[in-house]
């Protein structure tokens, strides 16, 4: 077998992992965020001011926010269930240290701090959890697309061939979910005088970067004979085309139907598509081709996975638009967000119950088909991760109230009443999350280019663990460093 065939075989015919293991892996990101915030509060407690050094901030962010995720999907994957426990214990230890030192300096009862926390006013226009969710999906995807080519990356985390729940299968759906949370239909304020179709043309035009990237990836992969997994999307299709097509189709549907009914359109679309899969020959065509032996004749046959899975991804996108609209409802207090957490928890439970019912009555989860169980699975896990980020933010807000002058970037801050006689012009703190958020598409593009370069230059299949970790850390650090430097110079590479 050629090197190309070996690499294709290495990422083919896999079955995924359990929902519990994926949940354990996802819990690491909110815990890393909580750990970073607590360390910054400890720094403020000892030095009397927030961390301002860009070098130290970048190093801390990379070591605490990124490196544990690289380790968790490589050499530490055998103990993935223990890692959340270890991180949670570490965070609890830091909090106890902060609280004990603060108790010696200021004798304010804990009950008063809790009351102050519950009554704290927050900026209703700012929801840090959405930003952090989107950035972390990007970071986890960037790690996985290169790590999957190394033997240290467990095969159960890679994309499942037909049925199964791999970590990378969830990453694809989470990308769709994250994009929908901040789509124009969610962000724009309702205007009765504005025609429904007035912004449709502008939104269709805005997907040209995705189409350009899709064409660029197609041409580059074919020209250098780069290894590819054909059963993911087909011969010519790729994920950039999926993102563009879903965005255009969703904009069209939301121009026809009221956006506050997006969840109904999503449910109808997902159920109808599942009925077609279950009652017609559509499933057999997608999995086995027109001749039943995996043929790839003609454009539709050659790209059947990518084209028909659009229906499932579109359902996920529309449901996520509904989530985005609900999240952006004005909540200006901690108490209201605690109530929102309860609603999110109920939605997560309902979606996982739906997932079990769907798998029992129809078929298992399939990213390749993007069937109804896949939609329920993606939405359930994405809401779970989003809830954990909200909980981490609230925990950091409570801890920050214990230390005067503390500040954690990309986290909620208590809104103080306006004081005309006092001007506060605090410079923004350096933050890797903010840096990646400013240029997310560039970050993802760089990750894809660097992944291709590493695969061309390095024999990934026969790499030792130490070499693999060095390559993955260097790859992620260079990508993060570029984003950090652009952020420091306030450069946003977006011109569409």
């Amino acid at each position: 077998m050629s090197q190309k065939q070996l690499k294709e075989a290495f990422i083919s015919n896999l079955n995924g992992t359990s929902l519990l293991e994926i949940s354990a892996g996802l819990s690491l990101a909110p815990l890393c965020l909580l750990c970073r915030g607590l360390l910054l509060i400890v720094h403020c407690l000892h030095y009397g001011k927030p961390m301002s050094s860009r070098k130290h901030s970048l190093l801390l962010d990379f070591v605490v926010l990124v490196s544990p995720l690289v380790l968790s999907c490589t050499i530490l994957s055998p103990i993935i269930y223990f890692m959340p426990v270890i991180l949670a214990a570490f965070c609890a230890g830091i909090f106890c240290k902060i609280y004990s030192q603060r108790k010696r300096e200021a004798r304010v009862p804990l009950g008063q701090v809790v009351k102050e926390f519950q009554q704290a006013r927050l900026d209703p226009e700012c929801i840090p959890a959405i930003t952090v969710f989107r950035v972390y999906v990007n970071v986890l995807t960037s790690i996985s697309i290169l790590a999957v080519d190394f033997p240290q990356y467990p095969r159960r985390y890679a994309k499942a061939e037909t049925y199964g729940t791999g970590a990378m299968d969830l990453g694809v759906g989470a990308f769709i979910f994250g994009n929908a949370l901040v789509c124009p239909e969610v962000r724009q304020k309702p205007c009765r005088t504005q025609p429904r179709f007035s912004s449709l043309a502008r939104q269709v035009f805005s997907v040209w970067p995705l189409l350009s990237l899709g064409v660029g990836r197609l041409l580059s992969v074919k020209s250098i004979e780069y290894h590819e997994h054909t059963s993911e999307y087909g011969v010519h299709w790729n994920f950039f085309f999926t993102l563009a097509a879903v965005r255009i189709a969703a904009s069209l549907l939301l121009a026809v139907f009221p956006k506050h009914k997006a969840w109904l359109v999503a449910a109808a679309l997902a159920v109808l598509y599942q009925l077609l899969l279950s009652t017609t020959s559509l499933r057999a065509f997608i999995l086995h081709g027109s001749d039943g032996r995996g043929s790839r004749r003609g454009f539709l046959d050659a790209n059947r996975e990518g084209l028909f899975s659009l229906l499932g991804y579109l359902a996920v996108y529309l449901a996520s638009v509904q989530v985005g609209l609900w999240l952006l409802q004005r909540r200006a207090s901690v108490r209201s967000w605690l109530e929102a957490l309860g609603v999110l928890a109920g939605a997560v439970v309902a979606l996982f119950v739906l997932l079990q019912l769907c798998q029992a009555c129809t078929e298992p989860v399939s990213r390749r088909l993007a069937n109804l169980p896949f939609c329920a699975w993606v939405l359930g896990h994405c809401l779970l991760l989003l809830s954990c980020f909200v909980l981490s933010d609230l925990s950091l807000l409570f801890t920050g109230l214990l230390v005067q002058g503390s500040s954690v970037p990309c986290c909620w801050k208590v809104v103080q009443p306006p004081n005309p006689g006092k001007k506060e012009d605090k410079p923004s703190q350096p933050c890797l999350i903010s840096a990646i958020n400013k240029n997310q598409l560039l970050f993802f593009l760089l990750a894809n280019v660097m992944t291709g370069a590493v695969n061309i230059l390095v024999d990934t299949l026969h790499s030792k663990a130490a070499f693999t970790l060095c390559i993955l850390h260097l790859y992620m650090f260079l990508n993060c460093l570029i984003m950090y430097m652009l952020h420091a110079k306030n450069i946003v590479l977006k011109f569409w």
Side-chain angles (χ1 to χ4, degrees), residues 256-370:
V256 176
F257 299 99
K259 60 184 181 181
H260 63 276
K261 299 292 185 181
W263 70 276
L264 285 174
V265 182
L269 189 63
V271 170
L272 179 61
Y273 177 48
Q274 184 60 53
L275 285 173
L276 289 174
L277 289 173
S278 301
T279 60
T280 69
S281 59
L282 180 59
R283 182 197 291 117
F285 171 70
I286 296 173
L287 297 181
H288 307 296
S290 56
D291 63 353
R293 291 178 293 181
S295 66
R296 295 284 175 180
R297 299 173 184 173
F299 181 78
L300 180 62
D301 205 355
N303 303 285
R304 55 185 185 269
E305 293 92 347
L307 293 172
F308 284 100
S309 64
L310 287 174
L311 296 172
Y313 288 126
L314 181 57
V316 171
Y317 188 96
L318 291 171
S320 306
V321 167
Q322 190 75 61
V323 174
L325 291 170
W326 179 79
L327 286 172
L328 288 182
Q329 292 176 7
R330 291 185 68 85
R331 296 181 182 87
S333 67
V334 168
R335 190 184 298 276
S336 62
W337 273 106
L338 289 173
E339 293 172 356
L341 263 180
V343 175
L344 285 173
V348 170
V349 172
L351 283 165
F352 278 110
V353 170
L354 175 63
L355 171 61
Q356 298 303 321
L357 291 174
C358 288
Q359 291 195 115
C361 300
T362 58
E363 58 186 344
V365 172
S366 173
R367 172 203 45 81
R368 189 174 174 183
L369 299 172

Side-chain angles (χ1 to χ4, degrees), residues 38 41 95 98-99 110-118 120 334 391-403 406 411-412 414:
L38 292 172
I41 294 174
F95 175 80
I98 293 171
Y99 181 72
L110 180 62
Q112 185 176 336
V113 177
V114 173
K115 185 177 180 181
E116 182 183 349
F117 169 69
Q118 291 179 337
V334 168
L391 185 59
S392 293
D393 277 342
L394 292 174
S395 301
L396 288 174
L397 178 65
F398 177 78
T399 309
L401 292 175
L402 300 176
V403 180
S406 64
C411 178
W412 268 313
V414 176

Side-chain angles (χ1 to χ4, degrees), residues 92-104:
I94 300 175
F95 175 80
C96 290
K97 177 180 175 60
I98 293 171
Y99 181 72
S100 62
Q101 188 161 343
R102 169 251 169 216
K103 191 174 181 181
R104 289 196 299 267

Side-chain angles (χ1 to χ4, degrees), residues 23 26-31 33-34 129 132-133 341 344-345 348 381-395:
S23 299
L26 285 180
S27 67
L28 295 178
L31 286 170
L33 182 74
L34 180 60
V132 176
F133 176 91
L341 263 180
L344 285 173
V348 170
H381 260 116
C382 286
L383 287 179
L384 177 62
L385 181 58
L386 191 63
S387 303
C388 290
F389 281 129
V390 172
L391 185 59
S392 293
D393 277 342
L394 292 174
S395 301

